[in-house]
Amino acid sequence: MMLDTLEIHPAAQSIDSGTLAEHVFRLIQAAIVKGEIAPGSKISEPELARTYGISRGPLREAIHRLEGQKLLVRVPHVGARVVSLSHAELIELYEIRESLEGMACRLAAERMSEAEIDDLRRVLSTHERDEAFQAGVGYYQQEGDFDFHYRIIQGSGNRTLAKLLCDELYQLVRMYRIQFSTTPNRPHQAFAEHHRILDAIAERDGELAELLMRRHIAASKRNVERHFKGALEQTPDERGNA
């Protein structure tokens, strides 16, 4: 684990345990999602406690919340590890996204206000100005209101969908979206697909919006499958040097 990059501010020593647990939770969450703590890494409570200079109570609360977000898994006789989905598990996750985010798009076309649609266009404008995107090496990866998918799910007006996709599975999905967003040509393809989806929502064509979102996520799923296929075709030496 690259714990040297996860430093806590000295002022945190005076923060109450609840606020400190939230602060530590956000730091570890971001490190896992961005890949700074590698998938499959064992989580050492003593090491993390020393890194952050906190007691085990707030740390365990943070770890428990990360387990709830599916970012950490509890392995019998081993302890907590950073999640590392198998090929089959990852494809299942994308199948869930394809179905449910397609539904969210259809509902968003029916329910988003004109102001919300205008805001979503501004979100895409922000994405287009991102340096990594301009260089063709990645897609804009800020979360929440800056996330195109998040805004559409919220715009669906379906609280159950929002709880599942914007809460329970959100950071796990982001982890893999970030991991595969640097595939050559994929950032600009994804951006164009986002624009077509938004146009369908703006035209109140829920059927088309759903179809385009399902195709968009299916394209991402194929990107994942190509990645796994390529990894399997590498020689042992190539895997070691990857």
Side-chain angles (χ1 to χ4, degrees), residues 63-142:
I63 289 174
H64 179 71
R65 290 178 64 188
L66 291 164
E67 288 182 61
Q69 290 191 330
K70 313 293 191 292
L71 292 177
L72 295 182
V73 293
R74 190 68 63 171
V75 180
H77 312 298
V78 175
R81 286 189 178 276
V82 176
V83 66
S84 179
L85 296 184
S86 68
H87 181 199
E89 290 169 331
L90 192 52
I91 294 305
E92 287 179 0
L93 181 63
Y94 274 81
E95 288 171 345
I96 290 169
R97 288 188 61 205
E98 185 178 335
S99 178
L100 296 185
E101 291 196 42
M103 182 196 307
C105 245
R106 174 169 51 80
L107 294 173
E110 299 170 4
R111 299 174 179 175
M112 285 183 80
S113 69
E114 293 298 327
E116 288 174 321
I117 292 171
D118 289 343
D119 281 344
L120 198 48
R121 288 203 185 279
R122 284 190 281 272
V123 166
L124 287 185
S125 294
T126 300
H127 293 186
E128 189 173 22
R129 294 191 299 271
D130 179 62
E131 290 183 5
F133 176 78
Q134 291 281 345
V137 297
Y139 196 92
Y140 189 84
Q141 292 295 344
Q142 294 300 313

Side-chain angles (χ1 to χ4, degrees), residues 1-6 31 35-38 41:
M1 291 187 293
M2 296 174 61
L3 297 179
D4 55 327
T5 64
L6 308 178
E36 293 167 1
I37 302 179
S41 297

Side-chain angles (χ1 to χ4, degrees), residues 68-69 96-97 99-105 107-108 111 116 144-145 147 149-171 173:
Q69 290 191 330
I96 290 169
R97 288 188 61 205
S99 178
L100 296 185
E101 291 196 42
M103 182 196 307
C105 245
L107 294 173
R111 299 174 179 175
E116 288 174 321
D145 286 343
D147 180 349
H149 290 262
Y150 181 95
R151 291 290 284 264
I152 288 176
I153 295 161
Q154 293 292 335
S156 75
N158 186 304
R159 288 180 294 179
T160 302
L161 266 180
K163 178 174 174 55
L164 179 62
L165 296 174
C166 294
D167 184 8
E168 295 175 12
L169 293 176
Y170 184 63
Q171 297 298 339
V173 167

